[in-house]
Amino acid sequence: MKVGIVGAGMVGSSAGYALAVMGTVSSVVLVDRNAELAIAQAEDIAHAVPFMSSCVVEAGEYDQLAGASVVILAAGVSQKPGETRLALLERNAAVFRDVVGNVLRVAPDAILLIASNPVDIMTQITVRLSGLPAARVIGSGTILDTARFRSLLGRHLGISPQSVHAYVLGEHGDSEVLAWSNARAGSLSLAGFAAQVGSAITADVRARIDDGVRNAAYKIIKGKGATYYGIGAGLARIVKAIAQDQQEVLTVSMVNREIEGVADVALSIPRVIGAKGIVTDLFPDLDAEESAALHRSAALLKETVEAVSL
Ligand code: ADP
């Protein structure tokens, strides 16, 4: 399977590297308006390939995306320290006007996988710009927030993140919702598991984990200027679900007809992903507080997307 990546900056190249490491696709093509950067990133990633897989990694023009099954859109301007994701919107919407038309001209059947922030808004803008069915325009959404939530819960409980089933819903950003009420460890409720291993989830623990998930990106950006390895791996995980038609449940963003009473808005809930893109939406059981928080997150995103003129 061929995967295109438009935007060979930190996020796009990290996704390319993760795809090459995982070896689930046969070809990766990097495109960037800075051709020299795309060539350099592709060469660097290609030199890692002999140590781990047989993926062909190249740089190219848009024409080389012909035949791509998935195109990752990671082009844009990066988040500066202190800048909110929503403040990036106007700058990145302009970039997407250029990119989406160029991609669809050569790869009209591709699934578009959106990585640029603010990702929920960019996902909705891409549906508007492309006219594609919503299920073929997937935003990376809270895939990484969910991974962070599982990782922190797993560390507290002394188990692998893969044994924790917990989801972060809504906006990939400040208004996201950690769904504590339906989180499980192994086959047990969180409280039941925590009691058995003697690691109670106190109010303090909960606040620390909430902060660790919600503010992870801000902390990483403060220390190193950008976040990319985590999201690169998350994007490669979504591509793997598509490439192998895995029917995997992942929290990704998509334009929904209605969420918590808010119509036509893109945000993350758990969804089943396979070869055709998003196959099924899974509306989680939430308590009243979480439902209200998800409504607020949806309403905020809706308000923002309505402000964008295309
Ligand atoms: P991030 O950390 O989100 O990856 P970067 O700034 O490292 O941010 O990467 C964004 C990339 O998107 C840059 O390499 C930039 O050249 C590219 N880019 C910006 N605008 C366009 C465009 N219109 N077409 C193609 N690539 C673009």
Side-chain angles (χ1 to χ4, degrees):
M1 186 175 109
K2 184 196 269 192
V3 176
I5 301 177
V6 182
M10 299 314 296
V11 171
S13 62
S14 298
Y17 182 71
L19 283 166
V21 170
M22 284 164 66
T24 37
V25 300
S26 53
S27 160
V28 173
V29 179
L30 291 167
V31 177
D32 197 290
R33 72 167 172 200
N34 179 348
E36 206 181 343
L37 175 69
I39 291 166
Q41 296 281 29
E43 284 266 294
D44 197 12
I45 297 167
H47 294 165
V49 166
F51 299 111
M52 47 211 175
S53 75
S54 54
C55 182
V56 175
V57 183
E58 298 167 305
E61 299 295 326
Y62 280 105
D63 287 352
Q64 276 167 263
L65 298 182
S69 305
V70 179
V71 178
I72 298 174
L73 305 188
V77 281
S78 59
Q79 194 172 19
K80 297 178 184 143
E83 186 181 34
T84 66
R85 290 194 179 95
L86 295 180
L88 283 173
L89 173 57
E90 286 297 344
R91 294 195 291 148
N92 278 334
V95 170
F96 268 43
R97 262 174 231 127
D98 170 35
V99 167
V100 170
N102 278 313
V103 169
L104 290 181
R105 178 173 53 78
V106 292
D109 298 324
I111 291 172
L112 302 183
L113 178 48
I114 316 304
S116 306
N117 277 316
V119 69
D120 302 291
I121 307 287
M122 298 313 295
T123 300
Q124 192 149 8
I125 286 175
T126 304
V127 170
R128 280 200 211 160
L129 288 170
S130 66
L132 291 177
R136 263 179 61 199
V137 181
I138 306 174
S140 54
T142 56
I143 188 162
L144 184 53
D145 313 81
T146 288
R148 288 170 176 151
F149 192 21
R150 292 176 179 199
S151 159
L152 291 175
L153 276 170
R155 215 180 291 168
H156 176 75
L157 297 171
I159 56 171
S160 134
Q162 278 89 354
S163 297
V164 178
H165 305 284
Y167 299 93
V168 179
L169 315 172
E171 179 197 11
H172 170 56
D174 299 340
S175 73
E176 67 192 21
V177 182
L178 280 67
W180 286 93
S181 69
N182 62 28
R184 299 189 78 77
S187 62
L188 301 175
S189 68
L190 275 190
F193 192 101
Q196 288 196 35
V197 297
S199 301
I201 300 182
T202 60
D204 274 2
V205 169
R206 197 171 148 137
R208 183 172 49 75
I209 291 178
D210 186 286
D211 175 67
V213 173
R214 201 176 297 281
N215 294 313
Y218 291 115
K219 287 179 188 156
I220 295 169
I221 289 168
K222 188 159 178 278
K224 61 181 270 191
T227 69
Y228 39 89
Y229 294 132
I231 190 58
L235 290 162
R237 182 68 194 85
I238 298 168
V239 171
K240 186 178 178 186
I242 297 167
Q244 299 185 345
D245 194 16
Q246 286 183 320
Q247 313 299 317
E248 187 80 20
V249 177
L250 299 169
T251 50
V252 292
S253 191
M254 172 186 140
V255 176
N256 273 90
R257 235 176 304 179
E258 190 261 314
I259 287 265
E260 293 291 346
V262 180
D264 188 34
V265 67
L267 51 63
S268 290
I269 57 171
R271 305 178 196 274
V272 181
I273 301 190
K276 291 191 164 64
I278 292 169
V279 184
T280 312
D281 297 328
L282 302 167
F283 291 92
D285 290 330
L286 299 175
D287 66 20
E289 203 180 309
E290 291 161 352
S291 279
L294 188 56
H295 170 83
R296 282 196 298 277
S297 188
L300 180 82
L301 285 164
K302 176 80 175 179
E303 200 179 298
T304 308
V305 82
E306 281 186 341
V308 188
S309 50
L310 287 176

